[in-house]
Amino acid sequence: MQTVQLPEYAGDLWSDFRHCAWYGGRGGGKSYTVATALVLQSMERHERVLCGRELQKSIKDSSKRLIDDAIERLGVGAAFQSTETEIRGPHDSLFLFSGVKGNANAIKSMEGITTFWGDESQAFSQSSIDTLVPTIRKPGSRLIWTWNPDEKDTPVDAMFRGNNLEDREGFEPPPRSIVREINFGDNPWFPDELRAEME
């Protein structure tokens, strides 16, 4: 396995949490870090991971490429079997990929999910969140949310940050939540190309 370098905030993903909510602008490395951490954790123990997006018309719209890239980057391809729709790994670990909108029955029928990762969570409707949270109920299960807060007052923002700026003072997220703002300054490997465009 290749040497792994992750930003300091990656430690959140090895903490005890029910919800890990990371939000912030592009270039912070949120999705890269989650994908890498999930691959590493699936090599440490059994993980059944559901990678969900609000809309997923095809596997190309999913986070599968991010997981496949993490496996390749870590040099552990021999330990995983990646098919068109899923990825299997050590300890009977499994990565599944699904859209949530209009797919409530299929989501509810998924058993034994240990980790849900909702990338681009700003797109999730309240209905989708209401379906997901009680569905991920295996003891010790957890939900990871990553998003760019481009739009105001999205359901995921309301759940973890309050409905608006005026309500955020004294706001309490769900129990056992880690809520962190992550931006380019938190990424030691922020690409020079993005830095030049930003400047």
Side-chain angles (χ1 to χ4, degrees):
M1 186 168 71
Q2 302 295 323
T3 301
V4 180
Q5 289 187 310
L6 291 173
E8 185 176 347
Y9 63 79
D12 290 351
L13 297 175
W14 276 268
S15 302
D16 178 30
F17 64 86
R18 169 64 175 164
H19 296 277
C20 181
W22 287 350
Y23 67 94
R26 293 175 60 97
K30 299 183 293 296
S31 298
Y32 170 101
T33 301
V34 172
T36 305
L38 291 177
V39 170
L40 291 170
Q41 290 170 355
S42 74
M43 297 184 71
E44 298 169 353
R45 60 182 185 250
H46 168 72
E47 284 284 349
R48 182 171 289 229
V49 181
L50 172 59
C51 301
R53 295 201 173 176
E54 177 73 347
L55 293 173
Q56 182 181 305
K57 295 179 181 177
S58 73
I59 200 71
K60 292 179 181 179
D61 301 322
S62 75
S63 301
K64 184 172 184 293
R65 182 75 259 165
L66 288 167
I67 302 294
D68 281 328
D69 286 348
I71 291 168
E72 181 179 346
R73 189 169 56 248
L74 292 167
V76 294
F80 290 85
Q81 180 185 6
S82 181
T83 69
E84 187 175 336
T85 58
E86 65 183 28
I87 301 171
R88 294 186 176 273
H91 309 290
D92 197 29
S93 290
L94 177 65
F95 289 85
L96 301 167
F97 306 88
S98 179
V100 179
K101 184 175 181 179
N103 204 19
N105 288 337
I107 298 292
K108 289 176 181 177
S109 69
M110 292 182 179
E111 292 294 329
I113 299 297
T114 60
T115 301
F116 169 78
W117 174 26
D119 198 20
E120 300 184 4
S121 295
Q122 74 277 4
F124 281 112
S125 66
Q126 188 62 55
S127 174
S128 293
I129 292 172
D130 292 343
T131 296
L132 286 163
V133 173
T135 298
I136 311 302
R137 60 183 179 271
K138 184 179 174 68
S141 60
R142 61 208 186 135
L143 298 96
I144 301 168
W145 312 84
T146 52
W147 77 98
N148 299 328
D150 300 328
E151 301 176 23
K152 292 183 179 179
D153 303 333
T154 60
V156 73
D157 255 334
M159 182 162 62
F160 294 110
R161 302 174 66 212
N163 283 315
N164 53 56
L165 289 173
E166 292 77 22
D167 292 342
R168 286 180 185 157
E169 186 173 336
F171 171 79
E172 291 290 335
R176 294 179 55 229
S177 291
I178 296 171
V179 182
R180 184 189 293 268
E181 182 175 8
I182 297 170
N183 290 304
F184 72 92
D186 301 298
N187 180 3
W189 305 282
F190 185 64
D192 288 340
E193 292 79 6
L194 285 181
R195 188 181 303 278
E197 288 183 12
M198 178 186 68
E199 291 173 352

